[in-house]
Amino acid sequence: MDTKNLFMTPTTAALVRAEYGLGLVVSVVLLFTHLDAVDWWAAAGLFVYIDLIGYLPGAVAFRLTGHGDLHKGYYLAYNVMHSLVTQGLVALVWIWLRGPEWALLALPIHLFGDRALFGNFLKPFGLRFEPEPHQAYRRFRSEYSAAIGDSTTLRTVA
C-alpha cells in the first residue's frame, strides 16, 4: 500500500497514520530525553541502513528503467527492510550482541516516520515501486464513492 493506492477510506488511512505518528512522537521524545546517552554513529547507521538496502536499489532501478517494471526482488528487499518484524529482530540481535542502547530508537523512528509522515507502507508486487494510482484503484475509488453516495469520500487520494 502507498499514498496513491489506499484500499481503505482516507479517514481510515489517516487514523492508521495517526497511530504510527504517536509511535513516532514517543520514540523521538524518548531519544531526545536521553541525548547524552545516545551513540549517534550507531543511531545514524541504524536509521540509514534500512533505506540503503531496502529502498535505494529499487528507487535507482525504477528511475533507470523509465517504466517502473521492476524485478520482485526490489519489492522484497523494501518489504523485508521496512518490516517492524525484521527491525524488531535486528534490535533483539543488537541487544544480545551489544546490549540495550538508546540508538535503537532509530529503527522505530525510521519506520514510524515513513508510515506517519509519508504514508509509505509495504509495497505490493502489483503496484509500481514508486507511488502512482493503479487504474483498478481509480475504478474502486469511483465505484466506492458512487455506492455510498459521497463524491468527496476518496477525493483526497487522487
Side-chain angles (χ1 to χ4, degrees):
M1 181 172 17
D2 61 46
T3 58
K4 302 293 182 178
N5 299 284
L6 298 171
F7 293 98
M8 60 178 92
T9 68
T11 301
T12 305
L15 292 171
V16 170
R17 288 176 71 175
E19 290 177 351
Y20 282 108
L22 178 60
L24 176 63
V25 168
V26 169
S27 299
V28 168
V29 167
L30 283 171
L31 185 74
F32 280 97
T33 57
H34 296 90
L35 285 174
D36 55 338
V38 175
D39 175 347
W40 289 102
W41 287 107
L46 288 165
F47 187 87
V48 169
Y49 100 101
I50 295 171
D51 280 344
L52 287 178
I53 297 170
Y55 173 69
L56 197 58
V60 169
F62 180 85
R63 282 158 184 79
L64 290 177
T65 63
H67 53 74
D69 294 328
L70 299 183
H71 187 276
K72 302 305 181 217
Y74 293 111
Y75 292 79
L76 185 60
Y78 182 92
N79 290 343
V80 167
M81 294 306 297
H82 287 82
S83 166
L84 288 165
V85 172
T86 301
Q87 298 313 320
L89 293 172
V90 167
L92 286 174
V93 169
W94 186 288
I95 291 167
W96 180 55
L97 294 174
R98 293 186 48 160
E101 60 180 297
W102 294 108
L104 288 168
L105 287 168
L107 299 172
I109 289 171
H110 183 121
L111 298 181
F112 294 165
D114 275 358
R115 287 164 172 77
L117 302 175
F118 306 115
N120 292 329
F121 293 84
L122 302 180
K123 295 185 179 293
F125 290 151
L127 299 177
R128 294 283 175 107
F129 191 81
E130 293 293 349
E132 174 181 302
H134 191 280
Q135 59 181 296
Y137 178 68
R138 289 180 186 161
R139 284 192 307 273
F140 162 77
R141 185 179 66 204
S142 175
E143 291 173 18
Y144 182 80
S145 293
I148 63 170
D150 183 358
S151 63
T152 63
T153 299
L154 297 172
R155 177 175 45 94
T156 61
V157 203

